[in-house]
Amino acid sequence: MNAIETKQLTKFYGCHRAIEAVDLEVAEGDFFGFIGPNGAGKSTTIRTLLGFLRPTSGEARIFGKAVGGNQPDILSDIGYLPSESGYYDKMKVSELLKLSAELRRKDCRQEGKLLCERLDLDPTRKIRELSLGNRKKLGIICALQHKPRLYILDEPTSGLDPLIQKEFYSILQERNRDGATVFLSSHVLSEIGRYCKTAAVISKGSILACDRVEKLGHRDVKRVILRGVEKLPQIPHGRDLHLEGDTLRFLYSGDGKSLLSHLSQINFEDLTITDPDLEEIFLHYYAKEAEA
Amino acid sequence: MTLYIHELKRGKPALIIWTAVLSFMLGLCILIYPEMAAQIDEVSAIFSDMGSFSAAFGMDQLSFGEFGGYFGIECGNTLGIGGGLFAALLGISALAQEEGDRTAEFLLCHPVSRMYVFRQKLAAVLTRILIHNLLVAVLSLGAMAVIGESLGAKTLLLLFGSYTLMELEIACLTFALSAYLRKNSLAIGLALAMGLYFGNLLSNLVEELKFLKYLSPYAYTDPAYILNEGSLPWKYLLTGAVLSIIALTPAAIHYRRKDIL
């Protein structure tokens, strides 16, 4: 069963298109990354999945249940971390965690305490006194303490220091190994590359690519490095050409035979062809979209 | 009940402050009555002889020389304006504040329906108004006991009951408005409460504006009617109840479907 499934999911705010015809399938047990720049439609997609926004057209399902139907039933399976959220500032951390657990009708005291310890958050502190990073930790604990089947995390690590980020991902990996599905949005590509099994790239409200993370790097683009080059050559289908000293680097999106044919006309000493890293792929997709 | 209890706890400081301030003002009004009574003939003549002003506040139908008349006008206005503003603030901020403070996402990501949120928040607002009025009434009775005055159980019940019902209606109307707003707009709530108050005053002055009595909940807090008739103006009360239901029903439907941005 898919944990998340959207079909032609579209949301307009008046005339402004936020997302259009978004098709996503996130299998149960997956660790799914949702990559896109600011304003690409990541949060709109997520907020539509949670029922905060009503889609203009299309549909979304969580564990096979239609979003917008019995929403409390759907939400009981989800742990959600918003990218920016307010909390009741006059409450203490422990009080908010208690309120969250009570709204879920679950006893999460043990797990909440453990997560506070692992993420180094003092439960006795007032929320209004918390730094941005500590507020993020509070949101994470609220999303995790009831051990849901599906985690939907919108930009989860912004504001967290590297040590806490590591601990946070370690917790997510544990939950994922236990069978939970993780769906997280980010524009930090290294995170997606390091932790996610599957990823989708979204830009200007549309999905540009969706595949296993390792396969995304094997798409129709290669990183080519030539050494011993004297001047910047013309390479059809070459992009992002940089000549530093005698080293030429570029991304190539044509077929292999043509590349070799072009290279045969250039003088060089050494050739390296590799898969680009996720960041380069990401930029490549955006460049392709811009051309279109 | 979780959200209901949470709302009551969250609203406790405002409830205490408003109750304390209004009780203090009302208590003061009651406690200075003996002083006023000493000069009552002079005062009565002044207040009942101010033309339209007297008519607007019902002072032409009540005697300042009696505690009932004094309480109905002076204390009634204090409780009417203060209580109306309190009810408006509670109602207008109930739903919109969650969106304005960006706590709506936190709340609505839990397994609760929008209708649950609507119902629990409305119940919490109405409960706070009931507690507020009960405390104000008890403290006012205390002040009356100090000066040795009383209005009888039935009159007191009708007077305090009418203000409670007025506040409940204002809370329902502003709560309904709150469902359409995206941020806490206290000014809208206060303007509505004041608009209803002045609408009732105008209806006392201008014959053509009598219909405003059907729209303003202040119409059924008219102390002259309550003290002279010994009952509440039920036709206005009934209209108020219908208006509240008419306002709340589409607000609930809208809130259930609205985008939480």
Side-chain angles (χ1 to χ4, degrees):
Chain A
M1 186 198 286
N2 283 324
I4 299 173
E5 195 174 340
T6 69
K7 283 183 185 159
Q8 297 292 297
L9 194 65
T10 301
K11 177 67 185 175
F12 278 75
Y13 297 113
C15 297
H16 170 71
R17 178 195 65 185
I19 53 169
E20 187 161 27
V22 168
D23 288 325
L24 273 179
E25 280 189 15
V26 180
E28 190 166 4
D30 203 350
F31 203 125
F32 193 100
F34 199 36
I35 321 166
N38 294 334
K42 301 188 297 290
S43 293
T44 300
T45 306
I46 286 173
R47 294 157 70 83
T48 310
L49 289 174
L50 287 151
F52 299 157
L53 304 175
R54 290 176 70 82
T56 308
S57 62
E59 62 170 16
R61 289 182 175 274
I62 304 282
F63 295 115
K65 297 168 196 161
V67 171
N70 187 354
Q71 205 59 16
D73 189 28
I74 290 173
L75 290 168
S76 64
D77 284 331
I78 298 177
Y80 169 60
L81 172 70
S83 60
E84 286 174 36
S85 180
Y87 301 103
Y88 305 111
D89 279 358
K90 288 176 185 163
M91 294 176 88
K92 287 180 182 169
V93 167
S94 57
E95 290 169 342
L96 191 86
L97 294 178
K98 184 168 173 268
L99 172 67
S100 179
E102 283 174 355
L103 285 167
R104 295 187 180 281
R105 294 177 185 175
K106 284 187 176 177
D107 183 356
C108 307
R109 280 175 292 183
Q110 190 75 23
E111 194 57 29
K113 188 167 172 263
L114 189 69
L115 287 166
C116 281
E117 283 167 12
R118 289 187 70 175
L119 294 173
D120 192 23
L121 180 65
D122 179 358
T124 62
R125 290 188 66 185
K126 285 247 177 177
I127 294 172
R128 67 165 167 245
E129 295 166 358
L130 297 181
S131 65
L132 184 70
N134 279 333
R135 289 174 84 92
K136 187 65 108 179
K137 290 179 195 173
L138 174 60
I140 290 171
I141 298 168
C142 282
L144 268 61
Q145 67 169 355
H146 59 290
K147 291 194 165 179
R149 288 169 73 194
L150 170 63
Y151 296 88
I152 297 182
L153 313 163
D154 196 359
E155 306 276 359
T157 52
S158 60
L160 292 184
D161 66 59
L163 278 176
I164 297 294
Q165 280 189 28
K166 197 164 170 259
E167 185 63 19
F168 164 66
Y169 275 112
S170 156
I171 297 167
L172 282 187
Q173 285 177 315
E174 287 165 22
R175 300 283 174 97
N176 185 238
R177 276 196 294 274
D178 291 343
T181 310
V182 179
F183 178 92
L184 65 89
S185 82
S186 179
H187 55 248
V188 182
L189 297 154
S190 55
E191 282 181 358
I192 304 282
R194 196 175 309 142
Y195 299 107
C196 296
K197 298 173 188 167
T198 316
V201 181
I202 185 168
S203 176
K204 293 181 184 168
S206 300
I207 300 290
L208 302 181
C210 181
D211 213 329
R212 305 293 292 175
V213 167
E214 63 275 12
K215 280 191 182 172
L216 278 174
H218 291 281
R219 282 280 168 95
D220 56 346
V221 64
K222 296 287 175 190
R223 160 63 63 193
V224 182
I225 303 168
L226 294 173
R227 289 198 175 78
V229 179
E230 289 169 358
K231 60 175 185 177
L232 194 66
Q234 290 286 318
I235 308 278
H237 305 294
R239 182 195 318 283
D240 197 21
L241 277 84
H242 288 292
L243 183 62
E244 290 171 32
D246 67 346
T247 304
L248 174 70
R249 295 166 185 273
F250 62 94
L251 288 170
Y252 183 78
S253 53
D255 66 82
K257 255 188 174 175
S258 307
L259 174 64
L260 291 176
S261 162
H262 295 308
L263 293 182
S264 67
Q265 295 163 31
I266 304 169
N267 288 328
F268 63 88
E269 292 167 2
D270 186 35
L271 165 66
T272 310
I273 301 176
T274 60
D275 289 321
D277 61 28
L278 199 58
E279 188 146 357
E280 287 173 317
I281 293 291
F282 181 69
L283 297 170
H284 163 74
Y285 282 119
Y286 293 157
K288 266 175 74 171
E289 199 215 4
E291 278 175 13
Chain B
M1 287 290 276
T2 303
L3 183 58
Y4 173 75
I5 291 165
H6 165 68
E7 285 292 311
L8 289 184
K9 279 185 192 166
R10 200 153 73 106
K12 202 163 76 176
L15 176 66
I16 292 170
I17 291 167
W18 277 86
T19 305
V21 169
L22 278 181
S23 300
F24 173 76
M25 289 170 70
L26 212 55
L28 205 61
C29 274
I30 295 167
L31 293 174
I32 61 168
Y33 175 72
E35 281 292 313
M36 296 281 285
Q39 305 155 33
I40 211 68
D41 292 339
E42 203 178 320
V43 174
S44 248
I46 294 169
F47 278 109
S48 60
D49 196 25
M50 289 195 290
S52 301
F53 189 78
S54 301
F57 290 93
M59 291 188 294
D60 55 340
Q61 299 168 57
L62 289 173
S63 167
F64 252 63
E66 292 166 19
F67 180 68
Y70 170 80
F71 182 81
I73 295 165
E74 283 297 299
C75 305
N77 276 323
T78 307
L79 197 53
I81 296 173
L85 292 179
F86 175 61
L89 289 176
L90 287 188
I92 203 75
S93 58
L95 292 169
Q97 191 174 12
E98 296 281 355
E99 284 183 74
D101 294 351
R102 299 188 68 84
T103 48
E105 264 190 271
F106 167 78
L107 184 59
L108 294 171
C109 76
H110 290 87
V112 294
S113 69
R114 300 263 184 108
M115 283 300 89
Y116 167 87
V117 173
F118 191 93
R119 284 194 307 267
Q120 299 262 310
K121 278 183 168 280
L122 179 61
V125 165
L126 301 184
T127 304
R128 275 183 277 170
I129 287 173
L130 290 174
I131 294 171
H132 164 78
N133 278 282
L134 189 67
L135 292 174
V136 168
V138 168
L139 292 168
S140 301
L141 290 177
M144 285 180 205
V146 169
I147 62 165
E149 292 284 352
S150 180
L151 293 170
K154 188 188 170 193
T155 308
L156 283 170
L157 193 67
L158 288 174
L159 277 172
F160 283 112
S162 73
Y163 287 107
T164 307
L165 292 168
M166 175 272 290
E167 287 178 35
L168 291 177
E169 185 183 337
I170 289 178
C172 286
L173 297 179
T174 47
F175 186 92
L177 261 178
S178 179
Y180 298 93
L181 301 173
R182 295 212 179 279
K183 58 181 179 182
N184 199 2
S185 304
L186 297 180
I188 296 177
L190 298 182
L192 180 75
M194 284 295 88
L196 294 170
Y197 177 77
F198 285 109
N200 183 55
L201 288 190
L202 283 174
S203 71
N204 286 340
L205 292 173
V206 184
E207 191 61 33
E208 288 76 21
L209 295 178
K210 275 271 185 273
F211 72 93
L212 287 176
K213 284 201 174 292
Y214 289 95
L215 300 175
S216 173
Y218 285 95
Y220 48 79
T221 63
D222 181 2
Y225 185 96
I226 294 170
L227 290 168
N228 294 334
E229 303 294 324
S231 80
L232 293 176
W234 293 105
K235 58 181 176 179
Y236 302 137
L237 200 58
L238 190 68
T239 328
V242 172
L243 268 179
S244 300
I245 293 166
I246 288 174
L248 285 171
T249 307
I253 294 167
H254 175 80
Y255 187 69
R256 200 162 73 97
R257 299 172 61 87
K258 88 185 280 198
D259 283 345
I260 304 295
L261 297 176

